[in-house]
Amino acid sequence: MISNPVIDAMMKRASLRAYRDEMPSDEVIETVARAGQQAPFAFQCCSMILKRSGKHPWGAPINFIICADTHRMRLIAEKRGKEIRMNDLTLLLFAMQDAAYMAQNMVIAAESLGMGSCYIGSAPFQARKLIESCQLPKGVFPLVMLVMGYPAEEKPPRPRYPLRFSLFEDVYPELSDADIDEAMQRMDEGYLAQDYYRGNNNRIRLEEGEDTVPDGEYSWTEHISRKMQWEPDQASMLSKLRACGFDLGDVEAGDTSPRE
Protein backbone atom coordinates (compact mmCIF):
# COMPACT_ATOMS: atom_id res chain seq x y z
CA MET A 1 0.00 0.00 0.00
CA ILE A 2 0.96 3.62 -0.53
CA SER A 3 1.67 5.38 2.75
CA ASN A 4 1.20 9.04 3.63
CA PRO A 5 0.01 10.90 6.76
CA VAL A 6 -3.67 10.79 5.76
CA ILE A 7 -3.63 7.07 4.87
CA ASP A 8 -1.65 6.30 8.03
CA ALA A 9 -4.23 8.11 10.20
CA MET A 10 -7.03 6.12 8.59
CA MET A 11 -5.28 2.75 8.83
CA LYS A 12 -4.28 3.07 12.49
CA ARG A 13 -7.62 4.41 13.68
CA ALA A 14 -9.43 2.39 16.37
CA SER A 15 -12.53 3.12 18.47
CA LEU A 16 -11.52 4.39 21.90
CA ARG A 17 -13.31 3.69 25.15
CA ALA A 18 -11.04 5.57 27.57
CA TYR A 19 -10.30 9.31 27.42
CA ARG A 20 -8.15 11.75 29.33
CA ASP A 21 -9.85 14.42 31.40
CA GLU A 22 -8.86 17.16 28.98
CA MET A 23 -11.27 19.34 27.03
CA PRO A 24 -10.23 20.01 23.43
CA SER A 25 -9.75 23.70 22.70
CA ASP A 26 -12.32 25.71 20.78
CA GLU A 27 -9.89 25.82 17.87
CA VAL A 28 -9.58 22.04 17.78
CA ILE A 29 -13.36 21.57 17.97
CA GLU A 30 -13.92 24.14 15.23
CA THR A 31 -11.33 22.42 13.03
CA VAL A 32 -13.06 19.06 13.43
CA ALA A 33 -16.46 20.62 12.67
CA ARG A 34 -15.15 22.46 9.60
CA ALA A 35 -13.60 19.24 8.32
CA GLY A 36 -17.01 17.64 8.71
CA GLN A 37 -18.62 20.45 6.73
CA GLN A 38 -16.11 19.95 3.93
CA ALA A 39 -17.29 16.41 3.19
CA PRO A 40 -18.37 15.85 -0.43
CA PHE A 41 -22.12 16.35 -0.54
CA ALA A 42 -24.37 18.58 -2.63
CA PHE A 43 -27.47 19.01 -0.46
CA GLN A 44 -25.69 19.65 2.87
CA CYS A 45 -28.61 17.89 4.54
CA CYS A 46 -26.68 17.25 7.72
CA SER A 47 -25.87 19.07 10.92
CA MET A 48 -24.12 18.41 14.23
CA ILE A 49 -24.94 19.27 17.81
CA LEU A 50 -22.01 19.60 20.19
CA LYS A 51 -22.40 18.52 23.81
CA ARG A 52 -19.59 19.47 26.16
CA SER A 53 -21.30 19.33 29.53
CA GLY A 54 -22.90 16.22 30.95
CA LYS A 55 -21.80 12.62 31.19
CA HIS A 56 -20.71 11.12 27.88
CA PRO A 57 -19.94 7.47 27.06
CA TRP A 58 -16.57 6.25 28.35
CA GLY A 59 -15.83 9.60 29.93
CA ALA A 60 -15.25 11.40 26.64
CA PRO A 61 -15.13 15.19 27.05
CA ILE A 62 -17.28 15.97 24.00
CA ASN A 63 -20.12 14.34 22.14
CA PHE A 64 -21.32 15.28 18.67
CA ILE A 65 -24.84 14.25 17.66
CA ILE A 66 -24.66 13.93 13.87
CA CYS A 67 -28.05 14.54 12.30
CA ALA A 68 -29.69 13.87 8.96
CA ASP A 69 -31.17 17.33 8.51
CA THR A 70 -33.77 18.36 5.92
CA HIS A 71 -35.13 21.22 8.05
CA ARG A 72 -32.79 23.92 6.77
CA MET A 73 -33.36 22.96 3.13
CA ARG A 74 -37.10 23.30 3.66
CA LEU A 75 -36.53 26.80 5.04
CA ILE A 76 -34.34 27.70 2.07
CA ALA A 77 -36.85 26.30 -0.45
CA GLU A 78 -39.58 28.33 1.25
CA LYS A 79 -37.46 31.47 0.89
CA ARG A 80 -37.08 30.69 -2.80
CA GLY A 81 -40.80 30.17 -3.18
CA LYS A 82 -40.35 26.50 -4.09
CA GLU A 83 -42.42 23.54 -2.95
CA ILE A 84 -40.44 20.45 -1.97
CA ARG A 85 -42.08 17.59 -3.86
CA MET A 86 -39.47 14.96 -3.11
CA ASN A 87 -40.90 12.25 -0.85
CA ASP A 88 -39.60 11.97 2.70
CA LEU A 89 -37.97 8.57 2.17
CA THR A 90 -35.79 9.92 -0.65
CA LEU A 91 -34.96 13.05 1.34
CA LEU A 92 -34.04 10.96 4.36
CA LEU A 93 -31.77 8.64 2.34
CA PHE A 94 -29.89 11.61 0.89
CA ALA A 95 -29.63 13.23 4.31
CA MET A 96 -28.33 10.02 5.88
CA GLN A 97 -25.63 9.84 3.21
CA ASP A 98 -24.63 13.45 3.89
CA ALA A 99 -24.53 12.89 7.66
CA ALA A 100 -22.38 9.76 7.26
CA TYR A 101 -19.87 11.62 5.07
CA MET A 102 -19.71 14.44 7.60
CA ALA A 103 -19.14 12.09 10.54
CA GLN A 104 -16.29 10.20 8.89
CA ASN A 105 -14.52 13.42 7.91
CA MET A 106 -14.73 14.45 11.55
CA VAL A 107 -13.27 11.13 12.71
CA ILE A 108 -10.23 11.46 10.44
CA ALA A 109 -9.75 15.12 11.34
CA ALA A 110 -9.80 14.23 15.04
CA GLU A 111 -7.28 11.43 14.46
CA SER A 112 -4.92 13.84 12.69
CA LEU A 113 -5.10 16.20 15.69
CA GLY A 114 -4.09 13.53 18.18
CA MET A 115 -7.61 12.73 19.37
CA GLY A 116 -9.59 9.51 19.35
CA SER A 117 -13.27 8.86 18.84
CA CYS A 118 -16.01 6.27 19.00
CA TYR A 119 -19.29 6.02 17.12
CA ILE A 120 -22.40 5.41 19.24
CA GLY A 121 -24.92 3.73 16.98
CA SER A 122 -27.87 3.89 19.39
CA ALA A 123 -28.77 7.50 18.53
CA PRO A 124 -31.75 6.59 16.28
CA PHE A 125 -33.27 4.53 19.09
CA GLN A 126 -32.98 7.52 21.43
CA ALA A 127 -34.65 9.85 18.94
CA ARG A 128 -37.51 10.96 21.19
CA LYS A 129 -35.12 11.74 24.06
CA LEU A 130 -32.78 13.64 21.73
CA ILE A 131 -35.67 15.59 20.17
CA GLU A 132 -36.42 16.92 23.64
CA SER A 133 -32.90 17.44 24.98
CA CYS A 134 -31.56 18.98 21.75
CA GLN A 135 -34.82 20.72 20.74
CA LEU A 136 -34.68 19.14 17.29
CA PRO A 137 -37.13 20.66 14.79
CA LYS A 138 -39.16 18.60 12.34
CA GLY A 139 -37.02 17.14 9.58
CA VAL A 140 -33.99 16.44 11.77
CA PHE A 141 -33.12 12.83 12.62
CA PRO A 142 -30.23 11.90 14.97
CA LEU A 143 -28.27 9.39 12.92
CA VAL A 144 -25.27 8.69 15.15
CA MET A 145 -23.42 10.05 18.16
CA LEU A 146 -19.68 10.59 17.97
CA VAL A 147 -17.71 10.97 21.19
CA MET A 148 -14.20 12.41 21.03
CA GLY A 149 -11.26 13.30 23.19
CA TYR A 150 -7.61 12.66 23.89
CA PRO A 151 -6.88 8.95 24.34
CA ALA A 152 -6.18 7.37 27.72
CA GLU A 153 -5.49 4.02 26.03
CA GLU A 154 -3.87 2.62 22.92
CA LYS A 155 -5.86 0.22 20.82
CA PRO A 156 -4.79 -1.57 17.65
CA PRO A 157 -7.06 -1.27 14.61
CA ARG A 158 -9.72 -3.93 14.47
CA PRO A 159 -9.36 -6.67 11.86
CA ARG A 160 -11.04 -6.35 8.49
CA TYR A 161 -12.11 -8.79 5.80
CA PRO A 162 -9.57 -9.72 3.12
CA LEU A 163 -9.79 -7.00 0.48
CA ARG A 164 -10.98 -9.44 -2.15
CA PHE A 165 -13.99 -10.20 0.07
CA SER A 166 -14.97 -6.52 -0.09
CA LEU A 167 -13.68 -5.18 -3.41
CA PHE A 168 -15.43 -6.65 -6.44
CA GLU A 169 -14.73 -5.52 -9.97
CA ASP A 170 -17.59 -4.95 -12.42
CA VAL A 171 -20.03 -7.42 -10.82
CA TYR A 172 -20.81 -8.91 -7.44
CA PRO A 173 -19.40 -12.47 -7.51
CA GLU A 174 -20.90 -15.67 -6.20
CA LEU A 175 -18.97 -16.21 -2.98
CA SER A 176 -17.71 -19.75 -2.45
CA ASP A 177 -17.49 -21.63 0.84
CA ALA A 178 -13.73 -21.13 0.66
CA ASP A 179 -14.17 -17.36 0.32
CA ILE A 180 -16.49 -17.25 3.32
CA ASP A 181 -14.25 -19.52 5.41
CA GLU A 182 -11.21 -17.34 4.63
CA ALA A 183 -13.04 -14.17 5.65
CA MET A 184 -14.35 -15.73 8.85
CA GLN A 185 -10.89 -17.02 9.75
CA ARG A 186 -9.31 -13.61 9.13
CA MET A 187 -11.83 -11.87 11.38
CA ASP A 188 -11.90 -14.46 14.16
CA GLU A 189 -8.15 -14.94 14.39
CA GLY A 190 -7.61 -11.18 14.40
CA TYR A 191 -10.07 -10.55 17.21
CA LEU A 192 -8.81 -13.51 19.24
CA ALA A 193 -5.23 -12.25 18.89
CA GLN A 194 -6.38 -8.95 20.43
CA ASP A 195 -8.41 -10.76 23.12
CA TYR A 196 -11.04 -8.23 22.14
CA TYR A 197 -14.30 -9.61 23.55
CA ARG A 198 -12.88 -11.18 26.70
CA GLY A 199 -10.74 -8.10 27.35
CA ASN A 200 -13.69 -5.75 26.99
CA ASN A 201 -16.11 -8.10 28.75
CA ASN A 202 -18.75 -7.55 26.08
CA ARG A 203 -19.79 -11.09 25.24
CA ILE A 204 -23.48 -11.35 24.28
CA ARG A 205 -25.13 -13.86 26.60
CA LEU A 206 -27.63 -16.32 25.18
CA GLU A 207 -31.22 -15.94 26.39
CA GLU A 208 -32.03 -19.56 25.71
CA GLY A 209 -30.02 -22.78 25.84
CA GLU A 210 -26.54 -23.51 27.10
CA ASP A 211 -23.68 -21.33 25.88
CA THR A 212 -21.12 -23.88 24.70
CA VAL A 213 -18.58 -21.46 23.19
CA PRO A 214 -15.54 -21.12 25.50
CA ASP A 215 -14.29 -17.61 26.24
CA GLY A 216 -11.07 -18.37 24.41
CA GLU A 217 -13.01 -19.17 21.22
CA TYR A 218 -15.69 -16.47 21.37
CA SER A 219 -14.87 -14.11 18.54
CA TRP A 220 -16.25 -11.81 15.86
CA THR A 221 -18.35 -14.15 13.76
CA GLU A 222 -20.06 -15.59 16.84
CA HIS A 223 -20.57 -12.13 18.36
CA ILE A 224 -22.01 -10.56 15.21
CA SER A 225 -24.21 -13.59 14.55
CA ARG A 226 -25.67 -13.23 18.05
CA LYS A 227 -26.08 -9.49 17.57
CA MET A 228 -28.05 -10.09 14.37
CA GLN A 229 -30.58 -12.13 16.36
CA TRP A 230 -31.81 -8.92 17.96
CA GLU A 231 -35.34 -8.21 16.73
CA PRO A 232 -36.05 -4.49 17.15
CA ASP A 233 -39.63 -3.36 16.75
CA GLN A 234 -39.97 -1.94 13.24
CA ALA A 235 -43.14 -0.04 14.12
CA SER A 236 -41.32 1.64 17.00
CA MET A 237 -38.52 2.77 14.69
CA LEU A 238 -41.01 4.15 12.18
CA SER A 239 -42.75 6.04 14.98
CA LYS A 240 -39.42 7.65 15.93
CA LEU A 241 -38.92 8.76 12.35
CA ARG A 242 -42.44 10.20 12.29
CA ALA A 243 -41.66 12.04 15.52
CA CYS A 244 -38.72 13.61 13.67
CA GLY A 245 -41.08 14.76 10.91
CA PHE A 246 -40.54 12.05 8.29
CA ASP A 247 -43.58 10.38 6.74
CA LEU A 248 -42.39 7.09 5.27
CA GLY A 249 -45.70 5.84 3.91
CA ASP A 250 -45.96 3.72 0.77
CA VAL A 251 -44.36 5.29 -2.30
CA GLU A 252 -44.91 4.25 -5.89
CA ALA A 253 -41.93 2.34 -7.29
CA GLY A 254 -39.68 4.24 -9.63
CA ASP A 255 -36.15 5.54 -9.96
CA THR A 256 -35.60 9.06 -11.22
CA SER A 257 -32.06 9.26 -9.76
CA PRO A 258 -32.10 13.05 -9.25
CA ARG A 259 -28.75 13.24 -7.50
CA GLU A 260 -25.40 13.75 -9.16
Side-chain angles (χ1 to χ4, degrees), residues 6-138:
V6 176
I7 297 296
D8 291 346
M10 296 171 72
M11 297 304 294
K12 74 177 185 179
R13 193 261 166 193
S15 295
L16 292 184
R17 292 176 172 82
Y19 297 86
R20 301 204 307 263
D21 186 18
E22 178 182 350
M23 178 64 68
S25 68
D26 289 348
E27 184 179 26
V28 166
I29 292 173
E30 181 178 339
T31 300
V32 169
R34 280 291 294 116
Q37 277 191 302
Q38 210 59 36
F41 38 62
F43 282 1
Q44 296 196 67
C45 285
C46 53
S47 56
M48 50 195 136
I49 294 174
L50 170 64
K51 295 282 190 180
R52 301 189 211 220
S53 60
K55 186 177 180 181
H56 307 312
W58 299 296
I62 59 175
N63 181 15
F64 287 101
I65 296 119
I66 312 298
C67 299
D69 183 350
T70 65
H71 173 70
R72 295 166 308 162
M73 188 53 67
R74 293 180 188 278
L75 297 178
I76 291 171
E78 184 178 341
K79 284 278 189 180
R80 300 293 295 182
K82 299 294 192 295
E83 177 188 0
I84 293 183
R85 298 177 182 175
M86 190 178 289
N87 65 73
D88 279 1
L89 177 57
T90 303
L91 274 172
L92 180 61
L93 288 174
F94 286 165
M96 290 171 70
Q97 291 178 40
D98 287 353
Y101 307 154
M102 169 182 274
Q104 189 60 16
N105 260 30
M106 294 168 69
V107 163
I108 301 306
E111 196 76 28
S112 75
L113 295 170
M115 291 199 296
S117 61
C118 188
Y119 283 115
I120 311 295
S122 61
F125 304 98
Q126 302 178 42
R128 293 184 186 277
K129 176 182 176 182
L130 292 171
I131 288 171
E132 182 177 349
S133 64
C134 300
Q135 299 180 30
L136 302 182
K138 296 290 186 181

Side-chain angles (χ1 to χ4, degrees), residues 247-252:
D247 179 8
L248 303 185
D250 293 336
V251 180
E252 290 293 328

Side-chain angles (χ1 to χ4, degrees), residues 49-252:
I49 294 174
L50 170 64
K51 295 282 190 180
R52 301 189 211 220
S53 60
K55 186 177 180 181
H56 307 312
W58 299 296
I62 59 175
N63 181 15
F64 287 101
I65 296 119
I66 312 298
C67 299
D69 183 350
T70 65
H71 173 70
R72 295 166 308 162
M73 188 53 67
R74 293 180 188 278
L75 297 178
I76 291 171
E78 184 178 341
K79 284 278 189 180
R80 300 293 295 182
K82 299 294 192 295
E83 177 188 0
I84 293 183
R85 298 177 182 175
M86 190 178 289
N87 65 73
D88 279 1
L89 177 57
T90 303
L91 274 172
L92 180 61
L93 288 174
F94 286 165
M96 290 171 70
Q97 291 178 40
D98 287 353
Y101 307 154
M102 169 182 274
Q104 189 60 16
N105 260 30
M106 294 168 69
V107 163
I108 301 306
E111 196 76 28
S112 75
L113 295 170
M115 291 199 296
S117 61
C118 188
Y119 283 115
I120 311 295
S122 61
F125 304 98
Q126 302 178 42
R128 293 184 186 277
K129 176 182 176 182
L130 292 171
I131 288 171
E132 182 177 349
S133 64
C134 300
Q135 299 180 30
L136 302 182
K138 296 290 186 181
V140 179
F141 178 67
L143 183 69
V144 71
M145 290 185 285
L146 181 56
V147 296
M148 285 185 180
Y150 294 101
E153 64 177 358
E154 288 189 20
K155 290 285 187 181
R158 294 198 208 177
R160 292 293 183 261
Y161 287 137
L163 184 58
R164 66 190 190 90
F165 200 69
S166 296
L167 173 62
F168 310 133
E169 189 161 348
D170 294 331
V171 297
Y172 198 110
E174 182 176 348
L175 299 170
S176 68
D177 284 344
D179 293 329
I180 298 167
D181 289 343
E182 179 191 10
M184 292 175 66
Q185 182 177 2
R186 169 77 67 88
M187 296 300 295
D188 284 341
E189 288 183 351
Y191 272 83
L192 287 171
Q194 295 180 11
D195 200 23
Y196 183 83
Y197 293 108
R198 184 163 53 182
N200 290 316
N201 193 29
N202 58 356
R203 179 186 183 120
I204 297 175
R205 301 297 173 183
L206 296 178
E207 294 183 3
E208 299 178 358
E210 182 183 358
D211 195 336
T212 59
V213 180
D215 281 346
E217 296 177 15
Y218 182 91
S219 193
W220 186 82
T221 55
E222 179 67 24
H223 183 81
I224 294 301
S225 296
R226 293 186 184 191
K227 205 168 190 177
M228 295 291 283
Q229 291 181 314
W230 177 43
E231 298 180 274
D233 181 19
Q234 187 167 277
S236 175
M237 192 69 253
L238 288 171
S239 74
K240 291 179 175 65
L241 286 164
R242 282 193 291 271
C244 291
F246 293 95
D247 179 8
L248 303 185
D250 293 336
V251 180
E252 290 293 328

